[in-house]
């Protein structure tokens, strides 16, 4: 895609100061260029050190909270920031640090290695769907927490290395080896919950609260003419507090094609509903004061 770069902590990250405006890019990002700030976030430019008088929330997640298929200002992070700042009280900045493809393991490593430097008051943890993806779909020989190094699929590095006959032979060997392994998920269920609990502990040790989001998925027409199902991928049992995205959309089964761009990515209307639900919960908890 060109906007991934290798990262020693999280396998890959988003390229700082990226600007993508090609014909193949615009449809994926709401008909607008994909613009990333100096830290590789889909947010406006922001200093690492938190300005005086500002409260800071950071969203960590995959392509859905990153806002695939919607404009940057339509992603729920941006909508939530506007909603919060309509009230009297502290000014909040909600940073969208989500990265397409990230699992709970990568989100944990991202928080530990990079995001604590931004002095967050609140972590919005929206991770899980990518945990369920099979390792073999990504040519990963091991689950994420046992991988140890960036996979070859990362951005421009792969394109450069593919010119090497030795690299192609090595990749073929790794791929063949991976196919002999049991096809497990990128993050096993028990490790998923352990990662999310660890995110809460790391955030708390830095003086930040954590708000979790559960994981929703639908397979209904027009995306899959053969199926009419919607389910909660992860209900995040035992984690509190949780923005109940599943409870928000499951009762609206007949409306799902008008709320989602595909089975896991909400459209602008769906993002606005998630932002409203998150705001109501945060307000009720008194975390915005």
């Amino acid at each position: 895609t060109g906007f991934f770069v290798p990262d020693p902590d999280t396998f890959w990250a988003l390229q700082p100061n990226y600007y993508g405006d090609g014909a193949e890019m615009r449809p994926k990002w709401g008909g607008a260029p994909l613009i990333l700030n100096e830290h590789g976030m889909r947010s406006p430019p922001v200093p690492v050190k938190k300005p005086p008088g500002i409260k800071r929330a950071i969203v960590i997640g995959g392509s859905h909270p990153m806002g695939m298929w919607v404009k940057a200002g339509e992603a729920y992070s941006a909508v939530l920031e506007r909603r919060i700042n309509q009230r009297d009280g502290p000014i909040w900045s909600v940073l969208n640090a989500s990265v397409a493809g990230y699992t709970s393991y990568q989100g944990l490593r991202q928080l530990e290695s990079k995001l604590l430097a931004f002095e967050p008051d609140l972590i919005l943890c929206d991770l899980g769907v990518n945990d369920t993806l099979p390792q073999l779909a990504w040519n990963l020989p091991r689950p994420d927490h046992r991988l140890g190094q960036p996979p070859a699929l990362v951005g421009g590095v792969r394109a450069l290395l593919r010119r090497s006959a030795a690299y192609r032979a090595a990749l073929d060997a790794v791929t063949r080896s991976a196919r002999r392994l049991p096809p497990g998920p990128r993050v096993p269920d028990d490790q998923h919950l352990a990662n999310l609990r660890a995110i809460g502990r790391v955030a708390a040790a830095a003086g930040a609260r954590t708000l979790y989001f559960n994981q929703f998925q639908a397979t209904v027409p027009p995306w899959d003419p053969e199926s009419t199902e919607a389910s909660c991928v992860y209900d995040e049992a035992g984690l509190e507090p949780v923005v109940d995205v599943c409870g928000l959309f499951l009762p609206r089964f007949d409306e799902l094609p008008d709320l989602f761009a595909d089975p896991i990515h909400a459209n602008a209307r769906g993002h606005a509903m998630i932002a409203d639900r998150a705001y109501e919960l945060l307000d009720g908890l008194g975390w915005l004061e």
Side-chain angles (χ1 to χ4, degrees):
T1 63
F3 57 82
F4 289 125
V5 292
D7 186 274
D9 298 300
T10 59
F11 309 145
W12 65 84
L14 296 181
Q15 182 174 305
N17 297 310
Y18 180 83
Y19 183 92
D21 194 22
E24 77 285 358
M25 293 292 295
R26 279 180 170 263
K28 295 185 177 80
W29 307 105
L34 174 62
I35 301 173
L36 305 176
N37 71 11
E38 68 273 35
H39 311 294
M41 298 178 183
R42 199 178 183 202
S43 287
V46 61
V48 174
K49 184 171 178 58
K50 186 169 57 179
I54 297 294
K55 294 284 188 179
R56 206 172 247 178
I58 302 181
V59 180
I60 55 175
S63 58
H64 174 237
M66 184 181 166
M68 184 172 281
W69 306 118
V70 301
K71 295 179 175 65
E74 296 171 335
Y76 75 71
S77 53
V79 179
L80 179 61
E81 179 181 280
R82 293 194 297 271
R83 178 76 187 275
I84 293 173
N85 289 329
Q86 289 173 350
R87 56 181 282 148
D88 293 331
I91 300 299
W92 281 79
S93 172
V94 182
L95 306 182
N96 189 350
S98 302
V99 178
Y102 264 22
T103 60
S104 59
Y105 175 79
Q106 290 169 294
L108 171 60
R109 297 293 298 123
Q110 180 193 29
L111 177 63
E112 292 173 324
S113 63
K114 298 176 181 64
L115 298 181
L116 292 182
F118 289 83
E119 305 173 278
D121 300 282
L122 176 63
I123 297 297
L124 305 179
C125 179
D126 191 348
L127 292 155
V129 168
N130 291 315
D131 290 26
T132 69
L133 296 179
Q135 300 166 42
L136 305 190
W138 290 66
N139 286 337
L140 305 181
R142 299 178 183 86
D144 279 25
H145 60 293
R146 296 178 182 169
L147 195 57
Q149 60 184 0
L153 56 86
V154 179
V157 174
R158 186 184 191 191
L160 288 172
L161 290 175
R162 284 175 112 173
R163 299 174 189 173
S164 162
Y167 167 77
R168 290 197 301 271
L171 179 60
D172 288 344
V174 170
T175 303
R176 286 195 299 272
S177 175
R179 286 175 181 151
R180 291 196 293 268
L181 296 173
R186 287 183 61 194
V187 178
D189 287 354
D190 57 345
Q191 188 66 39
H192 166 80
L193 281 174
N195 291 338
L196 295 192
R197 292 190 180 105
I199 286 170
R201 290 194 300 270
V202 169
R209 294 177 165 122
T210 300
L211 180 66
Y212 297 96
F213 291 68
N214 58 24
Q215 306 294 306
F216 176 79
Q217 184 169 7
T219 52
V220 300
W223 313 310
D224 186 350
E226 304 299 321
S227 180
T228 53
E229 297 179 353
S231 61
C232 204
V233 179
Y234 285 112
D235 63 12
E236 314 305 9
L239 296 172
E240 293 290 343
V242 174
V243 177
D244 188 9
V245 177
C246 300
L248 179 63
F249 291 117
L250 283 172
R252 294 174 168 84
F253 184 86
D254 293 337
E255 299 177 63
L256 292 179
D258 297 321
L259 299 172
F260 280 75
D262 66 23
I264 62 172
H265 297 98
N267 61 21
R269 183 181 167 202
H271 272 272
M273 292 171 65
I274 294 170
D276 285 346
R277 182 61 60 93
Y279 174 83
E280 291 166 2
L281 182 54
L282 289 168
D283 187 41
L285 291 167
W287 286 9
L288 301 175
E289 301 299 333

